Amino acid sequence: LNNNPSRYKITLSGTVKSSKINFDPPFLMLMPVPLDVKTETAITIIPQDYLRQSQIQVELPEIELEDGVRICPFSVQFPEGQDIVLSSDGTNKELICVISFRSSGPVSFSGNIFFIDEEEN
């Protein structure tokens, strides 16, 4: 610099990590219960590589009963909140999610509950 004709070349390299969430346990099986009785279990959501705060939203499935009525027998609660937070050591805090099921009619279901972050991942 300072009228020196030398050129400087800077090379940058890096790795981009996609944020993701894992679950413990990886799948959920709720016990059969009598009609109109709630069954529930807690799962741990393990966020990875989130660099800024995000919030988890949940899409619950509707189920069609034998008489054709559609219901949403599932509910979810996040006792400690549903924000993915970056802690001071650079990791993401785990979230607890309680999934409940209650139905007034007989039903059997195998399907997906979707957990979506603010980036729609």
Side-chain angles (χ1 to χ4, degrees):
L1 304 164
N2 295 335
N3 297 325
N4 185 345
S6 301
R7 293 186 182 201
Y8 295 92
K9 181 179 179 182
I10 297 175
T11 303
L12 302 175
S13 65
T15 303
V16 176
K17 292 184 177 182
S18 296
S19 51
K20 63 181 177 178
I21 56 176
N22 291 314
F23 300 91
D24 184 27
F27 65 92
L28 178 67
M29 183 181 291
L30 296 171
M31 299 304 296
V33 291
L35 296 179
D36 256 346
V37 173
K38 181 167 75 170
T39 182
E40 66 183 15
T41 192
I43 63 169
T44 303
I45 299 173
I46 307 163
Q48 294 180 322
D49 301 321
Y50 280 84
L51 300 177
R52 61 179 178 264
Q53 183 171 323
S54 188
Q55 188 174 73
I56 297 290
Q57 301 297 320
V58 183
E59 288 184 5
L60 299 171
E62 281 191 347
I63 299 172
E64 187 171 329
L65 299 177
E66 292 175 350
D67 61 3
V69 173
R70 296 188 66 78
I71 62 168
C72 184
F74 293 98
S75 63
V76 295
Q77 292 181 336
F78 292 87
E80 300 169 5
Q82 54 199 97
D83 290 333
I84 296 174
V85 178
L86 184 65
S87 62
S88 60
D89 65 358
T91 61
N92 298 123
K93 182 181 173 194
E94 295 180 350
L95 303 173
I96 301 298
C97 178
V98 178
I99 301 174
S100 304
F101 175 89
R102 180 189 307 228
S103 176
S104 59
V107 64
S108 179
F109 172 77
S110 176
N112 296 313
I113 296 175
F114 292 99
F115 293 82
I116 304 162
D117 65 20
E118 290 179 353
E119 306 275 325
E120 297 188 9
N121 295 315

